[in-house]
Each structure stands twice: as C-alpha cells, then as structure tokens.
Amino acid sequence: MKKQARDPLHAALADATFEAYKSAVIHLPEDVVRVIRKSALAETSPVARGEFANILKNIVTAGQLGVPLCQDTGVPVVYLTLPPGTPYSRDLYDAIADGVHRATKEVPLRPNVVDPLTRHNTNNNTGAGMPAIHVRPGKKLTVTVLPKGAGAENMSRIAMLLPTEKDKIEKFVVETVYLAGSRPCPPVIIGVGIGGTFDGAAALAKEALLEPVDKMSEYEQQLLCAVNKLGIGPMGLGGDFTALAVKVKSAGCHTASLPVAVNIQCWANRHATIEVKS
C-alpha cells in the first residue's frame, strides 16, 4: 500500500519550522550580536570583560561547529504569520510539530518538554500543549521560532498594578532582575508587556523579545539604565551591564487595571524567522 504524500503546504511549513529552530539555536540575530559587542567594549570591569570575551567566543564557536549556543535548547515558542486567504487549521499545527520533531532529532535539541504534572517526556519537544503557537496576520506566510530556556523563563514575573501606579513599573522591572540575580545568565535582555489583560501582558512581554534590541525608545533606555545600576553584571560576577536591552510592548487595558509582565531572556536572545514557500 502506497504511503500518502504530504500536502505541499504541510511539507513546506514543517521544513521552515525545522530550519527556523535550527538557525535560532545556532546563530544569534545580528542586532543581538551588535549589542553584545557594544556592551563588551564599554564594560569597565576586568572580570566582566572576561565574561563578555567568553560569550563572544561561544557565539563564534557555535557557528563554526554548527552546534547549539547553549545546552538548554529551550521549549518551542512559535509565531505564525498568516496572509489573507490562508486559513488556520489543525494541519498547520501538525506541520509545525513535525518540524519540531525533526529539529529535536537532527540538530539535535535537548528534549525539554514534559507534562507539567506527570513529568512524562515525549522526547520530541511536543505534546502537553507544545509547541506554543501564536498566530498573527501578515502579508506573507512566515514562521518564527523563539526557543525559551528555563533559566531565564523561571525568573519572569507579572503584576496587576492599579491605574495610579504607573510610576511603579520601573521598580517592578528592576526588582524582577534583582530577584533573578545570576540565574538567567546575565547580561539579560528584558521584554516588558504593559496593558492588555493578565495573560495578554505576559504575551506582550515575550513578543517584545522579537523586537530589534539595538534600537530603544527613551523609556526603554530609562528602564535599562535603572536595571544596570544593580551591578549584577555578566554571569552575576559584577559589572556595568546586568542587561543589554529592554524592549516594551503595550496594549490598551481596562480603566481599573494596569497589568505589567516582565519576561527575562539570557544574553542568547535566540529567534529566527523563515518565509514559507510551497
């Protein structure tokens, strides 16, 4: 009996997901590399400069050997951009899962995804609601993979502030980084979500990590400056750069609330986007 051929779109999306995940865990985006190099040049602590040298060597070596930048290859967070006329169906989810299966086997990726209660591991980074897929409208069909490691993700927080507590946002961001200390492998990149709802603020904070980190608004620069006054420094050993960048995304919220979420990312702000062509 002949094996049924895969739908061309399914195959193309699976292949694009594989390529995006592979690229994300091996090669950092250029804007991320630029802020690391810029911070390394500006760092005044000899110990911190040594850690920056190790980070930059790590980036080069991963690319040369074609191996992941970090042993924690994360859990798959996927952003799917759908153009008009392309319906979101179960098959698109299955295609993305197939791409993650392949990446886990061939890159290879560490099988990180487990059931939250039984801790059963599928050994392919899917199942138990993974990969997490966020669908957005767009002109082209693209897939973006944002691998999220546990060291940084575990340090993320959310707060439901009062509408009158806008001035407490900076304090909450700084406090979150202070409590994280060395655990997320600083210097970190910080995604901040402001507004929306309880879950919406967290989604905004994570999506903010996809924004170019070598360009920041005045408010983002203000938050970065406040964080870097902590002096935690690279790998928690002290220095000028506890964080490399802060990126903020906001959305309208209820008149009676002010949700704020902080999603911490380590220096390896890994993500990659591939256009799907079928």
Side-chain angles (χ1 to χ4, degrees), residues 25-27 56-70:
V25 296
I26 296 174
H27 306 286
L56 290 167
K57 182 178 179 181
N58 188 87
I59 293 169
V60 172
T61 302
Q64 289 176 339
L65 299 180
V67 297
L69 288 149
C70 176

Side-chain angles (χ1 to χ4, degrees), residues 17 21 76 96-105 109 124-126 131:
T17 302
Y21 213 141
I96 290 170
D98 284 350
V100 173
H101 288 176
R102 183 183 165 197
T104 302
K105 182 179 179 180
L109 307 176
N124 57 27
N125 283 307
T126 65

Side-chain angles (χ1 to χ4, degrees), residues 55-94:
I55 288 171
L56 290 167
K57 182 178 179 181
N58 188 87
I59 293 169
V60 172
T61 302
Q64 289 176 339
L65 299 180
V67 297
L69 288 149
C70 176
Q71 78 278 7
D72 185 353
T73 49
V75 295
V77 180
V78 178
Y79 295 86
L80 187 64
T81 301
L82 294 182
T86 303
Y88 182 60
S89 66
R90 175 71 198 191
D91 188 61
L92 295 183
Y93 180 92
D94 291 342

Side-chain angles (χ1 to χ4, degrees), residues 10-264:
H10 182 116
L13 180 53
D15 289 345
T17 302
F18 166 76
E19 293 296 341
Y21 213 141
K22 180 180 179 180
S23 177
V25 296
I26 296 174
H27 306 286
L28 284 184
E30 281 301 314
D31 61 299
V32 178
V33 177
R34 278 195 292 271
V35 296
I36 292 173
R37 287 175 176 160
K38 181 179 178 181
S39 300
L41 289 172
E43 179 60 63
T44 60
S45 164
V47 173
R49 286 202 302 270
E51 291 305 315
F52 269 117
N54 291 335
I55 288 171
L56 290 167
K57 182 178 179 181
N58 188 87
I59 293 169
V60 172
T61 302
Q64 289 176 339
L65 299 180
V67 297
L69 288 149
C70 176
Q71 78 278 7
D72 185 353
T73 49
V75 295
V77 180
V78 178
Y79 295 86
L80 187 64
T81 301
L82 294 182
T86 303
Y88 182 60
S89 66
R90 175 71 198 191
D91 188 61
L92 295 183
Y93 180 92
D94 291 342
I96 290 170
D98 284 350
V100 173
H101 288 176
R102 183 183 165 197
T104 302
K105 182 179 179 180
E106 295 183 24
V107 173
L109 307 176
R110 191 172 73 184
N112 289 322
V113 174
V114 299
D115 182 277
L117 297 179
T118 67
R119 312 309 288 183
H120 170 71
N121 194 325
T122 60
N123 291 311
N124 57 27
N125 283 307
T126 65
M130 281 291 174
I133 300 175
H134 306 269
V135 182
R136 307 178 292 186
K139 294 181 179 180
K140 297 179 180 179
L141 179 59
T142 66
V143 59
T144 298
V145 176
L146 170 66
K148 204 63 172 62
E153 189 76 350
N154 288 350
M155 299 297 104
S156 301
R157 299 167 74 217
I158 191 167
M160 300 300 291
L161 301 179
L162 297 174
T164 56
E165 296 180 318
K166 179 183 172 183
D167 59 331
K168 291 187 178 181
I169 294 175
E170 180 178 309
K171 179 182 177 182
F172 180 68
V173 173
V174 174
E175 181 183 71
T176 299
V177 179
Y178 171 76
L179 293 173
S182 64
R183 284 172 285 186
C185 295
V188 296
I189 291 174
I190 305 166
V192 180
I194 303 174
T197 55
F198 178 84
D199 57 321
L204 287 169
K206 183 168 267 84
E207 194 169 350
L209 296 173
L210 298 174
E211 296 294 316
V213 295
D214 54 350
K215 297 177 182 178
M216 284 181 283
S217 68
E218 185 177 342
Y219 183 56
E220 290 167 339
Q221 290 277 9
Q222 175 185 321
L223 294 177
L224 178 64
C225 182
V227 166
N228 281 336
K229 287 180 181 177
L230 289 170
I232 294 170
M235 303 304 155
L237 299 175
D240 303 315
F241 292 92
T242 297
L244 298 167
V246 176
K247 299 301 298 183
V248 176
K249 285 186 76 74
S250 61
C253 62
H254 195 286
T255 56
S257 67
L258 179 59
V260 179
V262 178
N263 198 213
I264 300 292

